[in-house]
Amino acid sequence: ARMPQLPSGLVKERAARLRALGEAGATAHLTALVGRNVGVLTERGDTGRTECFAPVRFLSPTPPGELLTAAIRSRNGDRLVAA
């Protein structure tokens, strides 16, 4: 048996609610990392990624390819800021 199709307006409304919940969850996760020391893999310039793949910007350039513990100072949008 086939599942009945939902009206497109309902589908779009549900998708918007899911996106909003996802964004709120991501923001809460990043905010929870502020003030903590986390493992980061450094990338080019002043960027890196935490063990959970959250993007990090360092206050000064770092050599790429290093695993280090970084102090997360703040959150700027969807990116963490580390010292």
Side-chain angles (χ1 to χ4, degrees):
R2 270 182 68 168
M3 295 289 291
Q5 293 294 312
L6 295 173
S8 66
L10 180 59
V11 171
K12 288 180 182 181
E13 186 270 330
R14 286 180 177 178
R17 280 192 296 164
L18 284 173
R19 281 191 300 276
L21 286 171
E23 289 172 15
T27 297
H29 173 69
L30 293 178
T31 300
L33 294 175
V34 174
R36 301 176 94 185
N37 293 325
V38 298
V40 177
L41 174 62
T42 60
E43 297 175 342
R44 285 192 251 156
D46 63 351
T47 63
R49 297 234 173 227
T50 68
E51 296 165 340
C52 61
F53 303 103
V56 175
R57 185 182 65 78
F58 291 94
L59 297 176
S60 59
T62 58
E66 291 191 13
L67 290 172
L68 52 89
T69 300
I72 303 300
R73 303 286 185 191
S74 63
R75 181 179 61 82
N76 185 359
D78 62 352
R79 184 174 297 266
L80 297 168
V81 179

